[in-house]
Amino acid sequence: MSIELRQLRYFVAVAEESHFGRAAARLHMTQPPLSQTIQALEATLGTPLFVRTKRSVALTPAGTALLPEARRILQQAGALPDLARRAASGESGLLSLSFVSTADYSVLPPLLREFREHYPKVQIELREATTDVQIDDLLQGRIDAGLLIPPLHDKARAEMDYMTVLSEPLVLVAPQGTKALRGKSGVTLDAVADMPLIIFPRRIAPAFHDAILGCFREAGLTPRIGQEAIQMQTIVGLVSAGMGIALVPQSVSNLKRPGVEYKPLADKTLQVDTGLAWRRDNASPVLRSFLELLRKKSRC
């Protein structure tokens, strides 16, 4: 069965005018080809759509049922050019974005808010994942972009582009009431060196893991690793339970948890970067729009 939009448009005109002559005038055509088109549509559907008399035209039950659906189809068809234009320009479509847990406390919420303000028709699919999982997903084409902690390994660098979004210092998170922190706005690592360290596993985020241990090396210390965890909220939760201390990106202090306190470090600390990675061959217009917004923000 093949039904043309032209046939539906003619059918709606006759139904609304209840007269073939007036419908033909509305469509800027003569009556015979209009009647022939309606007859062809009825033949295709296998049922009459109109009851015709010399003085009037009325819809049959089949015509009455078809009319709202025909209007809906014509309306949707009329919206197709704008839909295609918006998809081609990146104003609509799907953006699949992964993020490390630290981004949830820093760059992710304001970035998503601004992107949705500019591109309300874009559907955003979010996944929280560690850096290693994101890199694999990007290489396999399962996501468009990932907010992760660099660096990228050699294979990833060969196939992806990267942009730094945030650079921030590490801060200490310790159980509330820790004696070494009392009355101090900042703290040195040697003051808490006897407490177990809770840290990201190196296999998950090697650069982040090494940055934390580098802070201790700079202070001439070797930490005692007590626990490993792959989520920031888990690490902070373990600190709250008195299991030890942790070094976390400064933005994680936005995670308010009973039983912990955040302190800046008086020691020299390395900056921890969060950045966006994406496949160089990804031609998605929505991704292009997202990158343009991100670049504009970085210039401000």
Side-chain angles (χ1 to χ4, degrees), residues 74-90:
L74 290 171
Q75 183 180 24
Q76 290 178 335
L80 288 178
D82 185 58
L83 181 91
R85 181 194 61 79
R86 285 190 281 109
S89 64

Side-chain angles (χ1 to χ4, degrees), residues 2-11 37-38 40-41 44:
S2 177
I3 298 175
E4 300 176 8
L5 291 176
R6 174 180 60 89
Q7 292 175 312
L8 294 179
R9 189 166 62 252
Y10 289 4
F11 162 72
T37 300
I38 296 299
L41 176 60
T44 300

